[in-house]
Amino acid sequence: MTQLTQEHFELHTKNKSEQHERKKIEFLEDRIKTLEKTLESHAKILARFQMTEGDNSWVILSGVMDLTAIPLKRKIG
């Protein structure tokens, strides 16, 4: 049987801590994937809307809006 020494408890605590950190990373990676899909979906909707409005003022690349793009033209009025 395993002896319950101080080293045993320290190792157990360390392993639990590492397991918790891995779960947090998995959660964050999943959240990032979800946000990327959402952003792509919104960019596609925006592109369709701009096509129907005849406004090509934002650069759309592969279905993902370039967030650093500067409007190519602006409507005055």
Side-chain angles (χ1 to χ4, degrees), residues 26-47:
E26 285 178 18
F27 172 79
L28 292 173
E29 287 174 342
D30 184 50
R31 188 73 180 127
I32 289 169
K33 287 178 189 175
T34 302
L35 291 172
E36 286 173 342
K37 288 179 184 177
T38 301
L39 180 60
E40 185 173 338
S41 173
H42 288 144
K44 287 179 182 178
I45 292 168
L46 179 61

Side-chain angles (χ1 to χ4, degrees), residues 2-46:
T2 304
Q3 292 188 2
L4 301 179
T5 62
Q6 183 64 26
E7 291 82 20
H8 169 79
F9 290 112
E10 289 173 2
L11 180 62
H12 181 71
T13 302
K14 180 183 173 197
N15 288 341
K16 287 295 250 184
S17 176
E18 289 174 359
Q19 182 181 19
H20 180 69
E21 290 298 316
R22 281 193 299 270
K23 284 187 176 186
K24 285 191 336 186
I25 290 171
E26 285 178 18
F27 172 79
L28 292 173
E29 287 174 342
D30 184 50
R31 188 73 180 127
I32 289 169
K33 287 178 189 175
T34 302
L35 291 172
E36 286 173 342
K37 288 179 184 177
T38 301
L39 180 60
E40 185 173 338
S41 173
H42 288 144
K44 287 179 182 178
I45 292 168
L46 179 61

